[in-house]
Amino acid sequence: MDGVVEGGYRKQEQHWSEEETTQLAEKENWNKDTDVKKVESTERKVEERGQWGSKAEFLLAIVGSVVGLGNVWRFPYLCYKNGGGAFLVPYLLFVVACGVPLFLLETAVGQYTRQGLVTCWKRLCPLAEGIGYGGLMIQLYNCVCYIIILAWALLYLMFSFSSNMPWASCSNTWNTANCVEVRKETTAANWTRQTNATSAAMEFWERRVLSISGGIGEVGHVRWELALCLMAVWATCYFCIWKGVKSTGKAVYFTATFPYLMLLVLLVRGLTLPGAFQGIVFYLYPEPARLADPQVWLEAGAQIFFSYSVGAGGLTVLGSYNTYNNNCYKDCWLCLLNSGTSFVAGFAVFSVLGFMAHELGVPIEKVAESGPGLAFIAYPQATSMMPFPQIWASCFFIMIILLGLDTQFVSAEVVITSVSDLFPALLRRVGGREIFLLFFCVFCFLTGLLMVTEGGMYAFQLVDYYGSNGVCLVSIAIFESLTVGWVFGPENLYDVIEDMAGVRPNALFKFCWRYLTPLVSLGSLIFYFVKYKPLTFNHWYVYPDWAYTLGWLMALSSIVMAPCWGILKLCIARGTMKQRLSNLCHPDDDLPLTQKHTAEQQPVTSGMEMVVMITEEPNFKTPCLHCYHQAQVDLQVYMRPGSCKADPQSLAVSVSPDPILGNTNQVDHQGEDSICPTCCYMAFLTEAQVRIGKVPWHLAYAHTLSFSKQTPFLEV
């Protein structure tokens, strides 16, 4: 039957009557119309998850997630505090041992399962489903707590446009008799002469912005200026992510790039100030003896988990919106941009602190701060000593707001996506996401009002210190690495990455997932509990016992979620303990690589046997050659014909010898097309293949068809 593809169909067509050919065409057109109507009806009921509009959107979202406030106000302070340049040694070791391996693990798992934080682990390893719930709890606390910082920054930004900086003078109604104006004329002796002296910037922060009360039990009134700022930030967050990755992908073009422009402006300005060199030397001067202190190593590890956004599920959700064949292995090295940004931000911060110490004639350690103390006390105070302070203060707080917005986008997206994937029939309907997001934002806003009261700062620090601290992130990271390293298997994840990205990761990742990452993380966790110190405010206020109990309940809500959920799943499962473990550790049969392994174990069906199979059973499930997803195939309609938006004439398939078709060569597309509804790849059937029994390409010609390397990804 040689030459059947090129000439055999025309010979065979002569034996068919014109009436039979017309009836066949009408039947095919009717089936096509019916199939399109079914698809449109289904899409109206449940919307698709969506994907990133371009690779750039995903990369910018990753940059916005991993580059945040910690790069500006935490890393530089930790660096000078823990040995200057010597601190980079444990920091870089933690990057290799935990940062990059966990970054690749989370993005690969999300891209492979294409699910939210909870359902991705449920599909990969049902026993580890609690990892998703633990990460979801951390993100809930982040959503309520983190955005308060943006409300503070927005209020400061509005004050930055004043003709006189309100944090620069002591002539305001909120100032006390102990207020000291920190100016160039203020010498170190005058500044330290009064034991109870406080700077004007400190009093503006505590008495004007926070109006802080005497303790967490004294809630006081809502600070309505902060409440309005909080509402404005939540409204911005809502409209930036309300359409999912469609709107988030557009927002990150600005929110992820503009902070770098502001950082560059502040860096250039800082390096041109007198005293900047002394500040940079203080920032990087190495003290190797500090490496003997275990606290230095603990803080280096904690900084990696915070700044690389690992453990809380943000990377998993962002990766789930990628195309299946995205090169996640290449993308994982983007996380190193975080370390580079932190290092450069240290120059911008300490050049300004060096200038401030130079002007006051005091040691730099007297003015160096971290966290809110740097952002809302030290840096505003330094800008007030520069010419045109309004410009530099505005640039700084715009940078703070945009850095925080990106992180807030990701935290909210993790919650919305994860819950939507848990209840797709309810929340993926038209308007379902927008309504759910609105309720979520309103809930978080009302909860956050507690933190903009006069006692709100105490509540803020309690949630920040316990609800989303390093212990929670490290615990989640341990469970993740153990699940992949010992349950799912690193070789299986290697196969997943190779199947998606076309490249097999370095052998070092396997060693990290199995041994290095869990052991290093566990060591950090143990040392934290050994050196644990209860939270205090400003080093003097001690929280009541009920507050510490509440704090540890928030921490345990994420730490114990994974083991407790696993034990619960084991208890309610059926069968012997061995059967339960086997079922709960087995990935979902619907995952692409699982389908591939299943298809490889099945015997190959010849073309002649397939014709018999078609006659007996006109519809059956068959795996896609590309993504191996089981799909119900309609032999008449070929899935969704005619949906290809590419030029079919430019594509071809390679056909090998077959008992029905005979020996054939590379052929152009001449017949109907077929799209896999999961991976959206197109199969091109020749006219001969179409006429011989309507054989579905997914399985019938698994031994005859192979995709051309030039076959592009097609949108449906």
Side-chain angles (χ1 to χ4, degrees), residues 242-311:
W242 71 321
K243 292 296 184 182
V245 291
K246 293 181 181 179
S247 56
T248 306
K250 303 301 182 291
V252 293
Y253 277 104
F254 175 73
T255 58
T257 57
F258 197 73
Y260 280 95
L261 177 60
M262 294 293 97
L263 180 61
L264 179 62
V265 170
L266 294 174
L267 175 63
V268 172
R269 177 54 181 156
L271 293 177
T272 59
L273 293 171
F277 180 74
Q278 288 79 2
I280 293 172
V281 170
F282 187 78
Y283 165 50
L284 291 178
Y285 185 78
E287 298 180 35
R290 294 284 291 143
L291 295 178
D293 186 359
Q295 184 69 27
V296 174
W297 294 79
L298 177 64
E299 293 190 346
Q303 176 62 16
I304 290 299
F305 283 98
F306 276 118
S307 62
Y308 274 51
S309 299
V310 294

Side-chain angles (χ1 to χ4, degrees), residues 75-76 79-88 276-288 342-344 346-347 350 364:
F75 175 84
C79 194
Y80 108 83
K81 176 185 173 184
N82 294 295
F87 178 74
L88 298 177
F277 180 74
Q278 288 79 2
I280 293 172
V281 170
F282 187 78
Y283 165 50
L284 291 178
Y285 185 78
E287 298 180 35
S342 299
F343 186 71
V344 173
F347 287 89
F350 271 89
I364 297 181

Side-chain angles (χ1 to χ4, degrees), residues 479-552:
F479 294 129
E480 285 182 349
S481 55
L482 290 177
T483 299
V484 170
W486 296 97
V487 182
F488 181 75
E491 287 297 334
N492 288 333
L493 189 57
Y494 271 36
D495 292 340
V496 166
I497 296 173
E498 185 177 20
D499 190 56
M500 295 188 300
V503 60
R504 201 165 184 84
N506 189 284
L508 178 62
F509 287 96
K510 178 180 178 180
F511 178 74
C512 290
W513 292 332
R514 274 205 152 184
Y515 305 105
L516 194 58
T517 301
L519 289 177
V520 170
S521 302
L522 183 61
S524 301
L525 191 64
I526 294 173
F527 185 79
Y528 171 84
F529 285 110
V530 171
K531 294 290 186 177
Y532 166 73
K533 295 180 180 179
L535 171 67
T536 58
F537 179 75
N538 277 353
H539 306 291
W540 62 268
Y541 176 76
V542 178
Y543 284 77
D545 292 338
W546 65 265
Y548 290 124
T549 302
L550 179 61
W552 275 110

Side-chain angles (χ1 to χ4, degrees), residues 351-664:
S351 60
V352 173
L353 295 180
F355 159 74
M356 184 176 172
H358 175 268
E359 294 293 291
L360 296 175
V362 298
I364 297 181
E365 55 263 27
K366 293 289 185 179
V367 297
E369 295 280 354
S370 70
L374 170 66
F376 301 111
I377 299 176
Y379 208 96
Q381 187 171 277
T383 59
S384 66
M385 302 171 67
M386 303 178 190
F388 309 107
Q390 293 84 357
I391 297 176
W392 314 118
S394 300
C395 289
F396 179 75
F397 289 114
I398 289 174
M399 181 184 69
I400 292 294
I401 292 171
L402 293 179
L403 286 174
L405 270 179
D406 280 328
T407 306
Q408 188 68 26
F409 289 168
V410 174
S411 296
E413 188 63 51
V414 169
V415 177
I416 301 302
T417 297
S418 300
V419 178
S420 297
D421 286 339
L422 280 171
F423 308 101
L426 178 63
L427 297 179
R428 282 204 204 146
R429 295 177 180 273
V430 177
R433 174 190 170 89
E434 291 84 349
I435 295 174
F436 176 60
L437 177 61
L438 178 62
F439 277 107
F440 176 73
C441 291
V442 171
F443 168 78
C444 291
F445 168 72
L446 294 177
T447 306
L449 287 179
L450 175 64
M451 299 183 187
V452 294
T453 60
E454 294 174 351
M457 188 61 180
Y458 301 100
F460 169 84
Q461 286 210 335
L462 186 69
V463 176
D464 181 64
Y465 190 81
Y466 289 101
S468 56
N469 64 357
V471 176
C472 304
L473 297 175
V474 170
S475 301
I476 297 295
I478 292 174
F479 294 129
E480 285 182 349
S481 55
L482 290 177
T483 299
V484 170
W486 296 97
V487 182
F488 181 75
E491 287 297 334
N492 288 333
L493 189 57
Y494 271 36
D495 292 340
V496 166
I497 296 173
E498 185 177 20
D499 190 56
M500 295 188 300
V503 60
R504 201 165 184 84
N506 189 284
L508 178 62
F509 287 96
K510 178 180 178 180
F511 178 74
C512 290
W513 292 332
R514 274 205 152 184
Y515 305 105
L516 194 58
T517 301
L519 289 177
V520 170
S521 302
L522 183 61
S524 301
L525 191 64
I526 294 173
F527 185 79
Y528 171 84
F529 285 110
V530 171
K531 294 290 186 177
Y532 166 73
K533 295 180 180 179
L535 171 67
T536 58
F537 179 75
N538 277 353
H539 306 291
W540 62 268
Y541 176 76
V542 178
Y543 284 77
D545 292 338
W546 65 265
Y548 290 124
T549 302
L550 179 61
W552 275 110
L553 287 176
M554 288 188 290
L556 292 175
S557 66
S558 58
I559 294 174
V560 304
M561 189 66 76
C564 289
W565 196 269
I567 294 172
L568 178 62
K569 299 277 282 188
L570 281 173
C571 292
I572 63 178
R574 295 182 178 181
T576 64
M577 183 57 65
K578 184 177 180 180
Q579 292 172 337
R580 297 179 187 183
L581 286 173
S582 178
N583 293 333
L584 291 174
C585 294
H586 188 274
D588 194 334
D589 291 333
D590 201 35
L591 288 173
L593 206 60
T594 307
Q595 294 292 350
K596 178 180 179 181
H597 293 160
T598 303
E600 289 174 349
Q601 296 172 2
Q602 294 177 350
V604 176
T605 306
S606 67
M608 193 67 70
E609 293 172 333
M610 185 55 62
V611 172
V612 177
M613 186 183 302
I614 292 168
T615 305
E616 296 177 351
E617 186 178 0
N619 290 287
F620 57 95
K621 285 190 175 182
T622 55
C624 168
L625 282 177
H626 178 70
C627 71
Y628 302 94
H629 181 79
Q630 290 286 350
Q632 189 73 28
V633 181
D634 187 331
L635 303 183
Q636 298 295 325
V637 184
Y638 286 90
M639 311 295 287
R640 297 176 64 181
S643 302
C644 176
K645 297 181 181 179
D647 179 13
Q649 299 298 332
S650 63
L651 305 173
V653 294
S654 177
V655 184
S656 59
D658 181 83
I660 292 182
L661 300 179
N663 295 321
T664 59

Side-chain angles (χ1 to χ4, degrees), residues 49-349:
R49 293 184 80 248
Q51 291 180 337
W52 296 109
S54 64
K55 182 65 175 287
E57 291 182 3
F58 168 68
L59 296 179
L60 289 174
I62 289 291
V63 170
S65 175
V66 301
V67 177
L69 297 178
N71 300 84
V72 175
W73 74 17
R74 195 167 188 269
F75 175 84
Y77 177 80
L78 289 178
C79 194
Y80 108 83
K81 176 185 173 184
N82 294 295
F87 178 74
L88 298 177
V89 174
Y91 178 83
L92 293 176
L93 288 177
F94 271 97
V95 168
V96 175
C98 299
V100 178
L102 288 173
F103 191 99
L104 176 60
L105 184 154
E106 293 190 5
T107 52
V109 167
Q111 181 174 315
Y112 178 57
T113 59
R114 299 185 182 182
Q115 292 291 314
L117 182 55
V118 177
T119 47
C120 79
W121 289 104
K122 182 180 180 180
R123 297 188 68 191
L124 197 72
C125 177
L127 188 65
E129 185 180 352
I131 294 176
Y133 287 107
L136 199 59
M137 294 302 299
I138 295 176
Q139 294 292 3
L140 282 172
Y141 298 135
N142 274 339
C143 284
V144 175
C145 179
Y146 195 86
I147 202 168
I148 303 298
I149 301 173
L150 306 186
W152 295 336
L154 182 58
L155 184 61
Y156 266 81
L157 178 62
M158 291 188 292
F159 278 116
S160 298
F161 297 105
S162 304
S163 57
N164 295 315
M165 296 290 96
W167 50 77
S169 66
C170 293
S171 59
N172 304 289
T173 56
W174 59 82
N175 293 124
T176 65
N178 295 325
C179 178
V180 176
E181 295 184 6
V182 181
R183 296 175 296 183
K184 185 174 182 179
E185 296 81 9
T186 306
T187 62
N190 292 334
W191 193 13
T192 57
R193 185 175 301 163
Q194 295 177 289
T195 57
N196 295 326
T198 55
S199 66
M202 175 72 77
E203 291 199 350
F204 176 79
W205 166 243
E206 292 187 349
R207 299 178 61 84
R208 174 64 180 86
V209 176
L210 300 179
S211 187
I212 194 165
S213 66
I216 192 172
E218 302 175 20
V219 177
H221 301 290
V222 173
R223 303 289 295 167
W224 290 110
E225 289 175 324
L226 287 177
L228 292 175
C229 291
L230 182 63
M231 181 184 295
V233 177
W234 266 120
T236 303
C237 183
Y238 174 82
F239 286 109
C240 285
I241 67 174
W242 71 321
K243 292 296 184 182
V245 291
K246 293 181 181 179
S247 56
T248 306
K250 303 301 182 291
V252 293
Y253 277 104
F254 175 73
T255 58
T257 57
F258 197 73
Y260 280 95
L261 177 60
M262 294 293 97
L263 180 61
L264 179 62
V265 170
L266 294 174
L267 175 63
V268 172
R269 177 54 181 156
L271 293 177
T272 59
L273 293 171
F277 180 74
Q278 288 79 2
I280 293 172
V281 170
F282 187 78
Y283 165 50
L284 291 178
Y285 185 78
E287 298 180 35
R290 294 284 291 143
L291 295 178
D293 186 359
Q295 184 69 27
V296 174
W297 294 79
L298 177 64
E299 293 190 346
Q303 176 62 16
I304 290 299
F305 283 98
F306 276 118
S307 62
Y308 274 51
S309 299
V310 294
L315 300 174
T316 303
V317 169
L318 294 179
S320 71
Y321 289 106
N322 275 329
T323 59
Y324 184 79
N325 292 105
N326 176 66
N327 193 340
C328 57
Y329 180 64
K330 183 180 179 180
D331 294 341
C332 79
W333 302 107
L334 183 68
C335 65
L336 298 179
L337 179 65
N338 173 282
S339 300
T341 303
S342 299
F343 186 71
V344 173
F347 287 89
V349 170

